Amino acid sequence: MSEKNKSLALTHIAIFLFGSAGLFGKLINQPAFAIVFGRVFFSVIVMFIVFKIKHVSLKFSDKKDYAVVILMGLILSVHWVLFYHSVQISTVAISLLTFSTCSIFATFMEPIFFKEKLKKENIIVAFVAFAGVVFVAPNVELSSGMFQGFVEGILAGFTFALVTILERKYVKHYSGVVISFYEQVVVFIVLIPVIVLTGLNSVSKSDIAYILLLSIVFTLLSRYCYITGLKGVSAQTASVLTSLEPIYGIILAVPVLGEIPTVREIIGGFIIISAAIYSSTMFIKKEKTE
């Protein structure tokens, strides 16, 4: 296998794992915050051991960067809890499709952070994506888990877009793995008092097994595959592949959870993902011309 094909395969594996991670919201019988806590607990331990063995420096050149990473970790905490709770009270399809609006949020937030003008084509893409969201949206019933999951999925997309932009603006010159480590440490610390105050459900062997799987394979391995794959894949290709993340998750949810997407979700998903792919492509082309 050529290096290019190997990189493409690794990127596909990473995106598949990213998209499939949402299923653990239904497989693990614990509150959303407990799932996130378990995910980062094992991930942080393994990463720290690897960093020590490979003598990876965890120091930042500017002390202000630590404050930025702490902020990113706080936002990431909210993002992950919202996302997994969305999965728990609605469906994988609704959660992943609403979360995929993060690239649309990014196109509107970038002009604010980078002092750029908002282009008409970005507004058009946003309206197209909104049309897709309307298709996916369940009936507006505030007490409905499906509607609450829909709203939380959108908020998860917004918070993820915010973390991504903060990373691009303030700490992009550091290793992505090191940034991820610090973010997860913050998530871990933030959730400790929540765990202490609210407690857990009865922890089963399957819960522990699934959390280990989520942490090691669907967090660490997926991150490794993605970073390694990017070395031989163009940024534009990676962006398009990332937009396919909800497709992998929705397809896997059919045999694993028995969740079959509705016609509305399929139509809405196609519109949202198409808008996300177009938005990502525009972003990469803009960066190439700068």
Side-chain angles (χ1 to χ4, degrees), residues 3-287:
E3 285 299 317
K4 183 176 181 180
N5 287 337
K6 182 180 178 180
S7 296
L8 188 61
L10 285 172
T11 306
H12 265 295
I13 291 172
I15 302 305
F16 172 78
L17 293 175
F18 289 157
S20 305
L23 276 67
F24 287 91
K26 289 285 179 72
L27 295 173
I28 300 172
N29 184 33
Q30 294 294 333
F33 60 82
I35 294 175
V36 176
F37 180 83
R39 179 179 188 175
V40 298
F41 175 76
F42 293 109
S43 177
V44 164
I45 291 175
V46 174
M47 289 175 77
F48 183 75
I49 293 173
V50 172
F51 288 160
K52 283 296 182 181
I53 293 174
K54 293 193 173 185
H55 304 288
V56 176
S57 175
L58 295 175
K59 293 183 179 179
F60 287 165
S61 58
D62 191 334
K63 291 183 179 180
K64 292 180 181 178
D65 294 334
Y66 290 103
V68 176
V69 172
I70 290 173
L71 175 61
M72 290 163 56
L74 291 171
I75 298 172
L76 189 63
S77 303
V78 176
H79 158 71
W80 266 337
V81 171
L82 282 171
F83 176 71
Y84 280 107
H85 190 249
S86 172
V87 172
Q88 290 179 328
I89 62 178
S90 60
T91 65
V92 170
I94 286 179
S95 300
L96 285 174
L97 290 174
T98 50
F99 163 67
S100 65
T101 58
C102 62
S103 62
I104 308 302
F105 281 118
T107 61
F108 279 90
M109 293 162 68
E110 280 163 6
I112 298 174
F113 280 85
F114 298 96
K115 297 179 180 179
E116 302 169 347
K117 290 184 178 180
L118 182 61
K119 297 180 179 180
K120 291 182 180 179
E121 57 188 4
N122 289 343
I123 298 175
I124 294 173
V125 170
F127 273 110
V128 171
F130 178 74
V133 171
V134 170
F135 267 99
V136 174
N139 294 329
V140 181
E141 296 179 11
L142 298 181
S143 60
S144 167
M146 295 293 283
F147 181 72
Q148 291 175 16
F150 169 81
V151 174
E152 289 180 9
I154 292 176
L155 291 175
F158 171 77
T159 47
F160 187 76
L162 184 56
V163 168
T164 303
I165 289 176
L166 287 173
E167 180 175 338
R168 177 177 168 235
K169 183 172 177 64
Y170 296 107
V171 290
K172 65 178 181 180
H173 47 285
Y174 296 113
S175 166
V177 179
V178 172
I179 293 173
S180 179
F181 171 76
Y182 275 117
E183 288 175 341
Q184 291 185 53
V185 169
V186 174
V187 173
F188 172 76
I189 294 173
V190 167
L191 291 179
I192 287 177
V194 181
I195 295 290
V196 173
L197 291 173
T198 60
L200 304 173
N201 295 334
S202 178
V203 180
S204 65
K205 291 181 180 179
S206 63
D207 285 341
I208 297 174
Y210 281 135
I211 287 176
L212 279 170
L213 190 63
L214 172 62
S215 182
I216 306 302
V217 177
F218 290 82
T219 302
L220 291 177
L221 179 61
S222 62
R223 182 71 176 176
Y224 169 79
C225 289
Y226 189 68
I227 292 174
T228 305
L230 286 182
K231 295 178 181 179
V233 175
S234 69
Q236 186 166 350
T237 299
S239 294
V240 172
L241 291 178
T242 302
S243 299
L244 301 178
E245 181 180 323
I247 295 179
Y248 286 128
I250 292 170
I251 291 175
L252 192 61
V254 175
V256 176
L257 302 175
E259 291 185 358
I260 301 174
T262 64
V263 174
R264 287 177 59 181
E265 289 171 352
I266 293 173
I267 295 174
F270 176 78
I271 296 172
I272 294 171
I273 292 170
S274 297
I277 291 175
Y278 181 73
S279 178
S280 298
T281 303
M282 284 196 306
F283 172 72
I284 296 299
K285 287 182 177 179
K286 182 190 71 174
E287 283 207 324

